[in-house]
Amino acid sequence: MKYCKITKPIGLEDVCNEIERICSEAHVYKQCGLRPPHLAIQLDSGSGRTTILEYMTDCFSETGVLDFNCSLDDYIELTFDGTLQQMKQSFNTIDSAAVYTNGFCNIVGMDISAISQHIGEVQCTEFLKNCKTVSETACIVFFIHSSPTRNEEKLLGKLCESVENIKRLGTIPYNEDNICDLIIKNIKEHGVTISHSETFRTALLKIVNAFNITSVKSAISTAEMVIHYADFSGFSPFIDEKGLKAFIEQYNKPFERSDKNEQKRKMEYR
């Protein structure tokens, strides 16, 4: 997969710091032919996994940690469903991406949660064998849940036995400020200017808290909904705290109708 250059992700400081630490030693990887460590990251789906892969690819490319001229794909992101057939297809995808070399040499992201449910079965054995092969040329990022299950812990242990140099990283949950920054960033990326930024941010923080917005996925969805309440009457669309108020009022209408219908039913019952 090719990607557009991105800025440093919001939140996920520990992961970003590790990526930057590896990049600070880029001269070692370039001059001595060494490969960076594989990473095992505790991060739930919808919480920025793809963004981390993009940022990692961007940083590794700029500093020369990896040479991205050996394939048409800068990175590959895979999610396993636990079946043997789908797992084989996924590793075939990696093999097919190795256009100019015998093995794919860039970054591979893997959600391994479903595979962990099949410890001791043939698909787990095949998975470990294939990971060992891929790890010899590519840099792998293994993703598991932020609070790993017992089986995920077992699978990570087996991976550390078969794949050399895996570094495990935990993540700190996004706080309200992080989520607010993500929403604002996505609004701006869609070409919408934010007016009265401080007042807007204060109002947005209240929304984040009231609606319990805690993931990257929900932050992006919120941004896309809020954009509909921007002012498009001028040359460039903008939104301010008034737009947020209109968004909240519209959002609450279904709940208001539901409450009124419930009250009506209660009156009819009486």
Side-chain angles (χ1 to χ4, degrees), residues 6-7 9-10 46 48 51 54 174 178-194 200 204 213 215-228 239:
I6 63 168
T7 55
I10 294 169
T51 302
E54 291 176 341
Y174 291 96
N178 295 150
I179 295 296
C180 191
D181 289 338
L182 284 166
I183 295 172
I184 290 172
K185 178 175 180 288
N186 276 273
I187 290 173
K188 291 180 177 179
E189 286 179 347
H190 283 84
V192 178
T193 302
I194 294 176
F200 180 90
L204 184 59
I213 304 170
S215 71
V216 174
K217 187 175 182 179
S218 57
I220 293 173
S221 298
T222 302
E224 292 176 351
M225 288 189 289
V226 168
I227 287 170
H228 288 277
I239 190 167

Side-chain angles (χ1 to χ4, degrees), residues 119-120 124 128 153-163 166:
I119 296 289
C124 184
L128 293 170
E153 294 286 2
K154 288 181 180 179
L155 180 56
L156 274 180
K158 290 181 178 295
L159 278 169
C160 289
E161 292 173 1
S162 60
V163 176
I166 296 178

